[in-house]
Amino acid sequence: MGVKFAREYSEIIDELAKTLVQISGANDLFDMDEDTWFGMDGDGKHELTKTMADDIFFALGEERSASISVGNGLVEYDKNRHIIKVTEGVKIVLIDLV
């Protein structure tokens, strides 16, 4: 199936990474405790989160994965609206794919 997009892939991944790093509990995906996570510098955390964003992007394209839990948040691919939706509680971020 795959995630369909028309924007530059690197821009989508960068935007998704910047959103994921703000989700509380995102460090759980790396089996990293909070002290280590919060002790990382911004560049290191961003690079690590970009790797996570890349993995999540491709996982969303799998037919059996409509959504993926990330820490206390949820990442969903809406193929009809061509967006990736990231939610945590009442906070929602929409990432346009076109």
Side-chain angles (χ1 to χ4, degrees):
M1 179 175 126
V3 173
K4 296 186 183 196
F5 60 97
R7 286 177 58 201
E8 285 291 324
Y9 179 75
S10 60
E11 291 176 8
I12 294 168
I13 293 302
D14 193 53
E15 188 175 343
L16 183 55
K18 286 177 182 175
T19 303
L20 294 173
V21 78
Q22 297 176 37
I23 295 175
S24 56
N27 55 294
D28 291 343
L29 285 177
F30 302 108
D31 291 326
M32 188 180 294
D33 62 53
E34 285 186 2
D35 290 336
T36 304
W37 178 252
F38 290 114
M40 290 180 71
D41 68 9
D43 290 338
K45 195 181 292 185
H46 183 68
E47 287 303 314
L48 192 59
T49 309
K50 277 176 58 175
T51 301
M52 178 182 9
D54 187 57
D55 292 345
I56 288 172
F57 185 88
F58 284 102
L60 288 171
E62 295 294 319
E63 233 172 278
R64 58 192 180 306
S65 286
S67 64
I68 297 172
S69 294
V70 176
N72 295 328
L74 187 66
V75 181
E76 301 173 273
Y77 170 49
D78 184 335
K79 66 181 179 181
N80 295 324
R81 293 177 53 204
H82 305 289
I83 60 169
I84 293 175
K85 181 170 78 170
V86 182
T87 58
E88 181 182 16
V90 296
K91 185 169 124 181
I92 300 172
V93 175
L94 302 176
I95 299 172
D96 194 5
L97 300 172
V98 293

